[in-house]
Amino acid sequence: MDMHGKDGCNSLKNEDNLEYNHSGNSSDWQQCNPSIGCSDSGNPSATVSQGNQIGSTPCSSISMADPFSAGLWNLSTESTSLDLCKDKLQGSSNQITGNSMPIGGTLLQTGSGVLHPSLSHFPSDSAFIERAARFSCFDGSDLGGLMNPYSAAQSQSPHSSASRESSGAQIQKNEINMMEAVRGASLSTTDHGSKEKDNSHAAGNSSSTLPAAMKRKRPSEDMALDQAKVASQISGEMDDDNMELEKKAEQNSSTAATSTPRGKQVKDGNESSKEDFIHIRARRGQATNSHSLAERVRREKINERMKLLQDLVPGCSKVTGKALMLDEIINYVQSLQQQVEFLSMKLAAINPRLDIDVEAVLSKYLLQTCTGPSAAMGSSSGIVRPPPLHPSQQGLAQAGLSGMVNLPDLFRRSINAQMTASQGYKEPKMQVYSLF
Amino acid sequence: WRAPPGTRTLTPRFGPSKPMLAFRFLRALTLVHRTAANSSNAARSRRIQRAAFASMAYSAGPRRAWSRALLCRLHFHRARRRCAGRRRAAGVPRRPSTTGSPADGLRRLVPGGTGMDYCGLLEETADYIRCLSEQVKLMQSIVDSVGPGGR
């Protein structure tokens, strides 16, 4: 069958994705923010083995459907955001039962036909399947209406619904590691769901603001974007609704992505294998081979460092562009080094007979960043301090340097010892080193 | 390459230890004043400058590439001066890097910057800038504390 052949090719391509996603998932999701509903590490590994089997038999849609359904239902029951899961589950339900997509329609019909026998061993989900079948006639954009009947059904079987919800969430997260046959068409609909979710949860998990990079606390947006990307790859024709949503996805991803969209098709990217220990989601429209992924990570690291430098160097916030920033930084470092030289000349010119008022220096220097004195008082015993230093004394304690209070004593002692004794240099050093 | 399992989006920046810096530098300063009281101002200022960099490097600790490179350079220069006599290295003709990467200027400035990739260079620069500014503040406060009475 033509579709089967197509499925075969795509499944082969996605085999790597499956392996990658699963292996990535088991470690990745352990560190996920549980509020997003991470799965157990055990479940994805179970699906991994199934996924591998599936990949090897591309033409058997039944085996393809199996892990999908298994993964769908076996995933962890953790999930916090009901709405999130509902949306995703809407998408997943659409996946199962098909939608109005012309290409996906036939696929899904075969998929749904295949799914039913596999679903027989989930008796508790039969009600869900009926509901899903009902939902198939709904347009993807009408997910709001879909949510209500589903929410009514949730009260019936909390556990299974929770598992469904989480599985729906997992589907998003695991990148529907399953058959792209069901996945391909489903992705366009999960695109609906994800976009709905994105739009509704714009305040919370705004995918448009988070760059989809290495393991983040909110991988769901990455999932959504990635699904949208794969959806664009697999489904050649798009409905008008899907076109709108694709544009929306593009806007979302363009705001999220860096300013270098790749010209390569996602299809090519899926063909190359992702390394299994780099947990990065390729963004929409970007190549996903390992080189560009590593490069993208590197670039983001560099951008992050540049931001830090921008904070450090005064007056750098107005400068835009890497070259100008670099020049500013170089100028600043040069000016700092010149300042050190100048100040050392000044210090050399200071009459060495003058005693350096250590306490004053320390108080002034160490409290430079402190704002005001707090109630906490630290007393440096026995040191006579001029009145203006009292607030600085309090500030000393406030700074949280509890050991600091003793330091002026030691400083003074050590330095005086050095200045007076000729041979006693080592001893004060030893004294002070014991403190540190 | 392998990304670290716990992705660090923003590594926590530990600033230079101010007490350590202050202690070391003050001690070195008094040492210089004591031992080189009769040498010229220029020589003393150079010693003080070296002391400043040394205290910076020591207080930053060995976990920073720039501090390690700085200490190596200081020790090497001291050893060279004491043991090998005065031999000036041939001046390398400096060319403004037009063909090189834009980070070359920065590499020359930051100690130990030549052997680093761009990403590490930026991180070292940030730490170096932080330490440098702390050192400048310290020296400035010393100068201020002496007051206008000093020569």
Side-chain angles (χ1 to χ4, degrees):
Chain A
M1 197 172 136
D2 190 23
M3 286 308 174
H4 273 295
K6 193 176 173 188
D7 296 343
C9 298
N10 287 337
S11 71
L12 276 176
K13 283 172 211 148
N14 284 346
E15 183 183 19
D16 296 330
N17 293 348
L18 291 176
E19 293 169 352
Y20 160 68
N21 291 332
H22 287 298
S23 55
N25 283 334
S26 49
S27 57
D28 189 353
W29 305 124
Q30 285 165 4
Q31 306 173 23
C32 263
N33 188 353
S35 66
I36 303 184
C38 296
S39 67
D40 308 334
S41 55
N43 285 329
S45 56
T47 51
V48 170
S49 55
Q50 294 175 359
N52 290 340
Q53 292 170 2
I54 283 121
S56 58
T57 62
C59 287
S60 63
S61 55
I62 293 180
S63 57
M64 277 163 46
D66 245 347
F68 174 77
S69 54
L72 192 55
W73 310 124
N74 285 342
L75 295 173
S76 86
T77 62
E78 273 184 289
S79 134
T80 58
S81 164
L82 273 186
D83 289 344
L84 200 75
C85 298
K86 268 189 229 168
D87 272 333
K88 292 176 178 164
L89 200 45
Q90 295 309 319
S92 66
S93 67
N94 287 338
Q95 295 173 21
I96 298 173
T97 57
N99 54 8
S100 52
M101 292 283 299
I103 285 190
T106 49
L107 286 176
L108 285 175
Q109 280 165 15
T110 55
S112 62
V114 165
L115 275 173
H116 289 313
S118 58
L119 288 172
S120 60
H121 53 281
F122 297 100
S124 58
D125 298 331
S126 55
F128 169 79
I129 300 241
E130 289 173 23
R131 243 170 283 117
R134 235 187 295 139
F135 295 159
S136 63
C137 51
F138 283 101
D139 192 25
S141 54
D142 193 16
L143 289 176
L146 289 177
M147 302 233 318
N148 293 334
Y150 184 66
S151 59
Q154 283 205 356
S155 55
Q156 298 177 14
S157 53
H159 176 73
S160 55
S161 62
S163 66
R164 269 176 247 134
E165 290 160 9
S166 59
S167 62
Q170 286 315 311
I171 287 172
Q172 290 281 340
K173 292 192 197 112
N174 295 334
E175 259 186 323
I176 317 321
N177 12 67
M178 311 314 174
M179 334 343 220
E180 78 298 353
V182 190
R183 181 187 175 186
S186 70
L187 281 174
S188 48
T189 54
T190 41
D191 197 5
H192 295 261
S194 59
K195 288 301 158 282
E196 284 288 322
K197 169 191 68 81
D198 284 344
N199 293 336
S200 59
H201 296 268
N205 314 324
S206 52
S207 64
S208 54
T209 56
L210 274 186
M214 293 190 282
K215 289 177 284 187
R216 299 273 174 158
K217 283 193 175 176
R218 301 168 189 157
S220 49
E221 290 79 12
D222 304 348
M223 302 300 160
L225 289 172
D226 201 13
Q227 284 176 356
K229 168 192 63 161
V230 181
S232 69
Q233 161 206 347
I234 293 172
S235 53
E237 307 175 34
M238 292 292 207
D239 272 352
D240 292 348
D241 293 334
N242 288 338
M243 280 306 283
E244 291 172 16
L245 287 171
E246 289 295 338
K247 284 174 194 158
K248 261 198 242 172
E250 280 176 11
Q251 287 169 10
N252 283 344
S253 59
S254 62
T255 54
T258 56
S259 57
T260 60
R262 301 303 178 96
K264 276 196 206 175
Q265 285 304 318
V266 169
K267 202 170 189 173
D268 298 339
N270 279 339
E271 281 170 357
S272 61
S273 65
K274 295 182 189 168
E275 300 173 41
D276 55 352
F277 44 72
I278 299 182
H279 312 291
I280 302 164
R281 296 281 171 246
R283 273 179 284 216
R284 177 188 170 78
Q286 289 190 344
T288 56
N289 57 339
S290 57
H291 290 298
S292 50
L293 275 177
E295 215 179 290
R296 187 154 54 89
V297 165
R298 183 178 156 270
R299 242 182 304 120
E300 288 183 3
K301 268 170 90 174
I302 288 180
N303 285 340
E304 168 192 324
R305 305 261 158 87
M306 290 288 278
K307 281 199 201 91
L308 281 172
L309 277 171
Q310 219 174 10
D311 296 334
L312 272 180
V313 177
C316 219
S317 46
K318 309 162 202 139
V319 176
T320 52
K322 279 195 195 163
L324 290 174
M325 271 277 304
L326 265 181
D327 286 343
E328 273 294 319
I329 292 169
I330 289 176
N331 284 342
Y332 188 61
V333 171
Q334 273 173 345
S335 76
L336 280 178
Q337 285 174 341
Q338 281 170 5
Q339 259 183 311
V340 168
E341 194 175 334
F342 175 67
L343 281 171
S344 69
M345 268 170 44
K346 250 188 160 180
L347 282 175
I350 285 177
N351 191 343
R353 299 291 175 148
L354 281 176
D355 280 344
I356 296 174
D357 188 4
V358 178
E359 291 97 15
V361 166
L362 285 178
S363 310
K364 184 183 254 190
Y365 166 63
L366 293 168
L367 300 177
Q368 259 173 2
T369 53
C370 289
T371 50
S374 73
M377 266 298 289
S379 63
S380 60
S381 54
I383 296 185
V384 176
R385 299 189 171 272
L389 283 181
H390 272 300
S392 55
Q393 257 322 86
Q394 296 175 3
L396 242 182
Q398 174 205 1
L401 311 166
S402 53
M404 271 302 307
V405 180
N406 299 324
L407 283 181
D409 293 340
L410 289 166
F411 277 40
R412 201 167 37 95
R413 250 186 281 139
S414 65
I415 289 178
N416 286 339
Q418 285 177 41
M419 289 171 84
T420 54
S422 56
Q423 297 291 333
Y425 176 70
K426 298 266 190 231
E427 288 158 12
K429 189 163 71 170
M430 290 311 199
Q431 273 181 7
V432 185
Y433 278 168
S434 65
L435 181 75
F436 298 110
Chain B
W1 51 268
R2 188 182 190 93
T7 299
R8 17 172 238 171
T9 52
L10 261 186
T11 55
R13 301 293 178 201
F14 306 110
S17 161
K18 289 165 83 167
M20 285 295 296
L21 187 70
F23 168 69
R24 283 191 179 275
F25 183 65
L26 285 171
R27 194 181 60 171
L29 193 60
T30 55
L31 191 63
V32 167
H33 276 309
R34 187 161 58 87
T35 58
N38 34 0
S39 61
S40 70
N41 269 8
R44 256 215 314 276
S45 81
R46 221 181 322 276
R47 287 190 65 169
I48 289 176
Q49 191 180 0
R50 244 198 344 268
F53 279 115
S55 62
M56 256 174 60
Y58 274 116
S59 68
R63 56 185 170 88
R64 282 288 166 195
W66 68 262
S67 64
R68 288 194 297 266
L70 201 53
L71 288 177
C72 275
R73 193 199 295 179
L74 287 170
H75 287 310
F76 172 68
H77 281 305
R78 200 174 69 174
R80 214 174 63 157
R81 177 171 320 175
R82 301 272 161 87
C83 307
R86 303 204 171 248
R87 258 184 303 133
R88 300 276 175 212
V92 182
R94 296 270 173 116
R95 264 179 294 114
S97 64
T98 52
T99 54
S101 76
D104 281 353
L106 200 54
R107 276 182 213 271
R108 264 180 275 131
L109 278 180
V110 176
T114 49
M116 267 186 257
D117 61 329
Y118 190 59
C119 198
L121 179 69
L122 288 180
E123 189 165 352
E124 295 292 320
T125 306
D127 200 61
Y128 187 58
I129 286 179
R130 237 177 275 132
C131 279
L132 259 183
S133 51
E134 288 301 325
Q135 181 73 42
V136 164
K137 279 187 216 159
L138 173 65
M139 293 170 81
Q140 188 67 50
S141 60
I142 294 177
V143 169
D144 290 341
S145 71
V146 172
R151 241 191 311 139

